[in-house]
Amino acid sequence: MTARHDLEDQAREIIRKSYGIGNIIKFLGDKNLRDHFGVLKATVGLIKNLTTSQALIPYICEQNAVRRLCELMLNIDRSQDKSKYDSILEILIGTLTNLVQYSTSKSIIREHNCTNILSRLSQSPSSSLQQSASVLLRELNSE
């Protein structure tokens, strides 16, 4: 399911109606980052595609997606080889940027102290990661 497919809206609605969102979010939990990198990256990408639908954001947030994404960001930040995970971080930050519009998301991101990580990433040598982190920081600071 991609954001550029003719049936994207139908696919998103089928996922919602079949209670698939909760199952997708579960893939983020308790996974070893190094051993499950591909699964985690695909899951974060799928969640990002789902968040392009404003109607699905409340359902995604109800399943603790913001909390799980923040925990994943913290795990990446604690890892030895952070630069290896730039691609997943960029998708993850884009997903959080889409979710930050939901009322409780800002406070969850702040509770997990992700702003410190985002501030550091906004100074990253990777221009795309730097830009993504800066956009999310601006969204978090806007009221």
Side-chain angles (χ1 to χ4, degrees):
M1 182 184 91
T2 68
R4 295 179 288 269
H5 194 276
D6 293 343
L7 301 174
E8 66 179 297
D9 292 330
Q10 287 175 297
R12 287 188 190 106
E13 193 58 23
I14 289 168
I15 289 171
R16 184 190 66 78
K17 285 182 178 177
S18 66
Y19 304 101
I21 292 172
N23 291 320
I24 293 167
I25 303 302
K26 286 179 186 176
F27 279 113
L28 294 176
D30 302 325
K31 297 278 188 239
N32 179 302
L33 185 59
R34 189 176 22 165
D35 294 342
H36 297 99
F37 175 75
V39 171
L40 290 168
K41 185 177 178 183
T43 302
V44 173
L46 178 56
I47 295 167
K48 184 177 181 184
N49 284 342
L50 291 171
T51 63
T52 60
S53 168
Q54 292 293 315
L56 291 183
I57 289 179
Y59 296 102
I60 294 167
C61 290
E62 285 173 7
Q63 297 297 322
N64 289 318
V66 177
R67 190 171 312 284
R68 294 269 176 102
L69 290 166
C70 288
E71 289 167 358
L72 179 57
M73 183 186 296
L74 292 168
N75 287 338
I76 291 170
D77 191 57
R78 285 187 219 116
S79 74
Q80 298 290 324
D81 190 13
K82 293 178 184 79
S83 63
K84 176 181 175 184
Y85 303 114
D86 281 0
S87 60
I88 194 172
L89 270 174
E90 193 174 329
I91 299 166
L92 192 153
I93 292 168
T95 306
L96 287 174
T97 301
N98 293 344
L99 292 170
V100 81
Q101 301 161 19
Y102 194 68
S103 60
T104 59
S105 298
K106 285 183 182 182
S107 61
I108 293 170
I109 295 169
R110 288 182 185 126
E111 283 172 19
H112 280 82
N113 290 323
C114 290
T115 52
N116 295 335
I117 298 169
L118 292 168
S119 294
R120 207 170 339 116
L121 291 173
S122 69
Q123 306 301 317
S124 169
S126 166
S127 63
S128 57
L129 190 55
Q130 184 181 70
Q131 183 179 7
S132 298
S134 296
V135 167
L136 181 52
L137 280 171
R138 275 196 302 275
E139 289 293 326
L140 287 169
N141 291 325
S142 70
E143 292 300 327

